[in-house]
Amino acid sequence: MSVAEILDDLDYGPAPEGDGPARDWLKQHDGQTGLFIDGDWRQPNSGAWFETRDPATGAVLAKVAAADAADVEAAVAAARAAQPEWAALPGHERARSLYALARMIQKNSRLFAVIEALDNGKPIRETRDIDIPLVARHFYHHAGWAQVMKTEFPDRVPVGVCGQIIPWNFPLLMLAWKIAPAIALGNTVVLKPAEFTPLTAILFADICRMAGLPKGVVNIVTGDGSTGELIVKHPDIDKLAFTGSTEVGRRIREASAGSGKSLTLELGGKSPFIVFDDADLDSAVEGVVDAIWFNQGQVCCAGSRLLVQESVHDKLIDKLKLRLETLRVGQPLDKAIDVGAIVDQVQLDRIRALVEQGAEEGAEVFQAPCALPANGFFFPPTLMTSVQPASTCARVEIFGPVLVAMSFRTPDEAVTLANNSEYGLAASVWSESVNLALDIAPKLKCGVVWINATNLFDAGSGFGGYKESGYGREGGREGLSAYMKPAWLIDAEPIIEPAEQSAPIGIAPVDATGIDRTAKMYIGGKQARPDGGYARPIAGADGALIGEVGEGNRKDIRNAVEAARKATGWAVASEHLRAQILYYIAENLDARSAEFAVRLSALTGEGRGKARREVRVSVDRLFDFAAWADKYEGVVHRPPFRGLALAMNEPVGVVGVVAPETPGLLGFVTLMAGAIAAGNTTVIVPSESQALAATDLYQVLETSDLPGGVVNIITGDRRALGLELAKHDAVDAIWAFGPPDLAESVERASIGNLKQTWTETVARQWYNARISGGRQILGHATQVKNIWVPYGE
């Protein structure tokens, strides 16, 4: 074709990327890759292999080793042996290793890009221009954290050995997200890449050897789901990090319950893409293309739900259909195509089935009029309109190049529709009014919000979700916490509690005065009798009856959670107001300090001096959190583009708390104050043996202007009530302090809505404000939302 002919029709011709170097690299492995354990390549113990295929052709790329239990055992042992020496290195030495990895990735960037496109099916333009540069950026960024760890986190130590399981949609980028922060902070890693896309992880292992990374620091074992299960259940793994489907995330949470393993989950999404009537519609159309047809829609944060203000809905849909007609679907190594291949036939069949189901439920299906390649796994870019919010295609994560569109009338309706999902990973807001955009962003229940942009990522800004999109963050300072633990935990003693904390339920002796001393529950700002009608006697240290408390049950928990859920004004109240109310609570508790000291002394048998100290420290702790309420602020990230990312600390929501058995007052006050200072509402189960100290406290709360429902107190069996809190789908987080069986039960029961869990089975230093005050507690009481705000023309 002549230049004149090209200029006449402006059609794109093919621009294929050569795959020769990638094929040569595969030949170096004889078309058969091994397991990377303790710095060397090993054959699989079982002698089993599986095939990885090119999604664009269906052809076999390589045979990949399938790790079994013996292989995983060897990898974990290597990581365990290497971890102490790696952690003991000066930060500068670890930083040098990460810098070396980053440079080697850049040096081999085109090889990585081609292999990723071959193995995954995504366009080479995406792997070359987005994935690989971000991978290098993560290692450079976290090299800096290795350098400054000692000064920035003086009271933290590495978690230990990290088991990491990554998905097939961003194979190398997810590897970088997991490995870079882990090894930067002194941990070692056993990583399993996805069965469909293991090749860039294998190439990365080659890079580790070339960069001189010490043996055992990074171990890569390939295999299917059974290999991942071996990692999850291995007793010598200290931390699990998983990115993948919500269904698998639930299974991992259940399997790891009670193990003591730290866990972060980055799961599915059904992200809203909200377009207001004042938006630049042409820019919004391009944003939609990036949001849903990037990586064939196989993106957990894909903007798969298009919400358009009614007045511009039809206009935007018309523009979008015209734009769809220009998208090019074809071979991933062709630099002139927009949409590549679906990763596997299994995923292609799922996409087809869900689109067909959407059509059966009344959706109108429009597909790009493009010719699909004869071989391989391809699906046309698809737009579904006339979709109802309850439709399957509007609620289920399709994980393909499929967009569903709905309309809204008002900003409030847009927020309601956007939040009408069990997921909460990301959202895009398009409006030329910065006031409107920044008003909407905090109202969206998700971890990332892009304003007039989409799919922006950087190593310096955290990424992660709310609700069933998981918990924990990856990237930035906020992503580092998962790979460290407080240094005091190393020498902490386990909690040991007797099976029964107080006298059994029954008819207690009547007080000589004949006056009923039974303390009620505290629900919605009011005293409430227990639903079951039973009371629990509370004995003093000498065995004498001191009083009774209500025996809470499942209905009491439901009532308390409902009251907490209704107290929505607390989360949006000003930090100054929350601080003032905490000050009031402290002042009122201080005014009754003598009374509380007498109560604690009777309950515990300790002298008045120790009891007075517990009350005094409880008052101090309230003042401490009152001070923090308007100071625990977010940060402004400066990613390497024209814009900002505002990292905001937001409350988790409704927090269920199983307070420690002792100290009965200080433990209760610390957890209550930390949770509500951050804007959460609470349902708290106090100590069984010292429950009267907590029920006495609600009289203080009633006189301190605390809105009803912010703090709810349910007395009774801590294990049974904690289990009900963990099961309740309207509870957003569960905190439990007690023996291992308590931790296991609440973690296992939390899988219904994948609520955040914080369980401690060791004795915390409750009197130490450095350990049990301020940031230590507030970190659990908040989750970070990153709001990306580009600027400029």
Side-chain angles (χ1 to χ4, degrees):
M1 179 179 288
S2 68
V3 173
E5 290 172 322
I6 292 173
L7 294 175
D8 184 55
D9 61 24
L10 295 180
D11 282 344
Y12 283 88
E17 174 77 25
D19 63 357
R23 301 289 180 180
D24 291 342
W25 175 78
L26 289 171
K27 289 177 183 177
Q28 292 175 16
H29 285 269
D30 297 323
Q32 186 169 281
T33 66
L35 305 171
F36 187 68
I37 298 174
D38 202 21
D40 291 313
W41 291 109
R42 300 188 184 185
Q43 299 295 298
N45 175 71
S46 65
W49 308 80
F50 62 93
E51 296 175 338
T52 182
R53 294 177 178 270
D54 179 350
T57 64
V60 175
L61 291 169
K63 289 186 177 180
V64 181
D68 66 7
D71 297 316
V72 171
E73 182 66 38
V76 174
R80 177 60 64 195
Q83 198 273 324
E85 186 175 348
W86 178 248
L89 286 176
H92 175 66
E93 292 300 317
R94 292 199 304 273
R96 288 173 66 93
S97 290
L98 271 83
Y99 280 128
L101 287 170
R103 289 193 294 270
M104 292 298 296
I105 290 164
Q106 288 178 319
K107 183 178 178 180
N108 295 277
S109 61
R110 189 56 65 96
L111 178 60
F112 273 112
V114 173
I115 291 175
E116 194 82 318
L118 282 172
D119 205 21
N120 174 272
K122 64 173 65 179
I124 184 68
R125 287 191 297 124
E126 293 179 8
T127 62
R128 180 195 66 194
D129 299 340
I130 299 173
D131 292 24
I132 309 307
L134 266 175
V135 169
R137 162 74 173 147
H138 270 268
F139 281 97
Y140 276 127
H141 178 80
H142 286 94
W145 283 119
Q147 185 83 31
V148 302
M149 177 186 177
K150 187 174 182 179
T151 55
E152 286 296 298
F153 306 103
D155 298 325
R156 312 282 282 185
V157 295
V159 172
V161 176
C162 301
Q164 302 178 325
I165 302 171
I166 59 175
W168 46 258
N169 58 338
F170 290 92
L172 188 63
L173 184 57
M174 293 298 101
L175 177 149
W177 282 19
K178 298 287 190 293
I179 289 182
I183 67 174
L185 300 180
N187 303 282
T188 53
V189 166
V190 177
L191 179 136
K192 190 197 89 68
E195 183 180 2
F196 290 153
T197 55
L199 293 184
T200 46
I202 301 300
L203 177 56
F204 178 79
D206 278 344
I207 294 297
C208 289
R209 297 182 72 182
M210 295 167 64
L213 193 70
K215 292 185 175 184
V217 173
V218 169
N219 304 271
I220 294 176
V221 291
T222 48
D224 59 13
S226 63
T227 305
E229 187 176 1
L230 290 168
I231 293 173
V232 168
K233 293 183 176 180
H234 199 289
D236 213 22
I237 294 283
D238 301 299
K239 188 258 184 295
L240 293 169
F242 171 75
T243 296
S245 72
T246 298
E247 177 187 359
V248 176
R250 280 197 178 91
R251 295 206 296 267
I252 291 174
R253 169 70 285 180
E254 186 174 23
S256 63
S259 66
K261 294 180 174 72
S262 171
L263 176 64
T264 51
L265 300 170
E266 195 266 279
L267 307 175
K270 193 72 176 177
S271 299
F273 190 104
I274 307 169
V275 181
F276 288 96
D277 58 9
D278 67 340
D280 179 340
L281 297 186
D282 292 323
S283 294
V285 166
E286 294 307 310
V288 171
V289 171
D290 289 338
I292 186 59
W293 293 302
F294 170 61
N295 196 16
Q296 297 75 254
Q298 298 171 137
V299 184
C300 52
C301 57
S304 54
R305 285 189 296 150
L306 176 61
L307 308 179
V308 188
Q309 197 151 20
E310 193 173 69
S311 57
V312 294
H313 174 271
D314 293 348
K315 185 176 181 181
L316 182 69
I317 295 299
D318 289 342
K319 286 177 175 287
L320 197 52
K321 288 179 178 178
L322 287 173
R323 183 66 175 89
L324 266 170
E325 294 178 357
T326 69
L327 292 178
R328 300 173 301 280
V329 180
Q331 295 297 322
L333 290 184
D334 185 347
K335 293 186 283 290
I337 65 105
D338 300 299
V339 180
I342 304 301
V343 72
D344 188 79
Q345 183 68 50
V346 172
Q347 183 63 19
L348 180 60
D349 291 342
R350 171 181 166 80
I351 295 167
R352 285 173 175 163
L354 286 169
V355 170
E356 290 171 4
Q357 183 175 354
E360 291 171 1
E361 293 178 358
E364 296 179 11
V365 179
F366 177 87
Q367 293 183 322
C370 56
L372 301 181
N375 299 318
F377 315 127
F378 293 89
F379 194 82
T382 301
L383 170 65
M384 303 177 75
T385 55
S386 301
V387 174
Q388 300 302 313
S391 298
T392 301
C393 60
R395 301 195 64 83
V396 173
E397 185 180 31
I398 298 174
F399 220 63
V402 181
L403 176 68
V404 300
M406 293 169 279
S407 64
F408 65 87
R409 292 182 179 178
T410 66
D412 285 346
E413 187 180 350
V415 171
T416 300
L417 284 171
N419 291 336
N420 182 35
S421 172
E422 63 266 36
Y423 299 114
L425 192 51
S428 292
V429 178
W430 291 74
S431 170
E432 289 299 287
S433 169
V434 67
N435 290 336
L436 175 61
L438 291 178
D439 178 58
I440 295 296
K443 297 176 182 177
L444 300 175
K445 302 299 183 184
C446 58
V448 180
V449 179
W450 297 293
I451 293 176
N452 293 329
T454 192
N455 281 340
L456 298 177
F457 307 100
D458 183 58
S461 300
F463 180 87
Y466 290 10
K467 301 189 287 187
E468 293 183 32
S469 288
Y471 44 80
R473 295 292 180 265
E474 294 184 290
R477 189 184 187 100
E478 57 264 42
L480 299 176
S481 60
Y483 291 99
M484 298 180 290
K485 64 182 180 182
W488 67 267
L489 283 174
I490 296 173
D491 299 320
E493 296 292 329
I495 294 174
I496 300 175
E497 294 178 2
E500 189 174 295
Q501 298 297 335
S502 59
I505 301 169
I507 300 176
V510 178
D511 187 272
T513 64
I515 299 173
D516 179 20
R517 303 291 294 173
T518 303
K520 299 181 179 66
M521 311 286 186
Y522 187 62
I523 300 175
K526 299 177 182 178
Q527 299 181 39
R529 296 185 185 278
D531 172 74
Y534 287 101
R536 169 178 289 249
I538 303 296
D542 59 0
L545 179 70
I546 296 179
E548 295 177 90
V549 296
E551 183 68 30
N553 63 15
R554 181 171 58 183
K555 180 63 163 57
D556 296 311
I557 290 292
R558 291 209 315 265
N559 291 341
V561 172
E562 183 179 356
R565 183 61 66 184
K566 288 180 177 178
T568 54
W570 186 248
V572 297
S574 72
E575 289 80 1
H576 173 72
L577 176 63
R578 295 203 293 265
Q580 290 301 303
I581 290 175
L582 281 161
Y583 282 129
Y584 295 157
I585 297 171
E587 291 168 358
N588 287 329
L589 176 59
D590 186 58
R592 297 177 56 183
S593 59
E595 174 189 339
F596 274 85
V598 170
R599 173 73 88 185
L600 285 173
S601 183
L603 289 168
T604 64
E606 294 180 340
R608 292 290 176 85
K610 287 187 176 180
R612 284 194 295 268
R613 180 187 176 222
E614 182 173 346
V615 178
R616 183 177 68 254
V617 176
S618 298
V619 172
D620 291 345
R621 194 62 46 79
L622 284 162
F623 273 102
D624 188 37
F625 282 112
W628 274 106
D630 60 358
K631 298 173 186 65
Y632 190 66
E633 298 174 319
V635 298
V636 177
H637 296 305
R638 294 295 302 271
F641 76 98
R642 295 190 70 194
L644 304 172
L646 313 177
M648 300 174 59
N649 290 323
E650 293 192 335
V652 176
V654 176
V655 178
V657 180
V658 182
E661 187 59 27
T662 184
L665 178 65
L666 178 57
F668 183 99
V669 165
T670 296
L671 299 172
M672 176 198 76
I676 68 175
N680 300 285
T681 57
T682 59
V683 178
I684 309 179
V685 180
S687 161
E688 291 179 30
S689 62
Q690 301 178 41
L692 288 170
T695 56
D696 287 350
L697 190 65
Y698 66 58
Q699 299 170 20
V700 172
L701 303 179
E702 288 176 334
T703 59
S704 301
D705 296 339
L706 185 71
V710 174
V711 174
N712 303 272
I713 303 172
I714 306 296
T715 52
D717 186 321
R718 291 163 64 245
R719 286 169 174 79
L721 295 174
L723 187 61
E724 293 303 325
L725 279 170
K727 290 178 181 177
H728 203 301
D729 284 349
V731 174
D732 301 298
I734 178 77
W735 301 351
F737 297 78
D741 66 307
L742 173 63
E744 180 177 1
S745 67
V746 300
E747 288 175 355
R748 194 177 301 278
S750 72
I751 65 172
N753 67 338
L754 280 172
K755 56 178 62 66
Q756 298 185 28
T757 60
W758 176 23
T759 57
E760 277 190 5
T761 60
V762 295
R764 172 174 280 269
Q765 299 174 38
W766 293 99
Y767 285 86
N768 187 330
R770 188 175 181 84
I771 288 174
S772 296
R775 293 183 180 276
Q776 290 285 331
I777 307 296
L778 291 169
H780 292 281
T782 54
Q783 51 193 349
V784 177
K785 172 183 286 180
N786 273 282
I787 300 175
W788 292 70
V789 187
Y791 54 73
E793 293 297 326

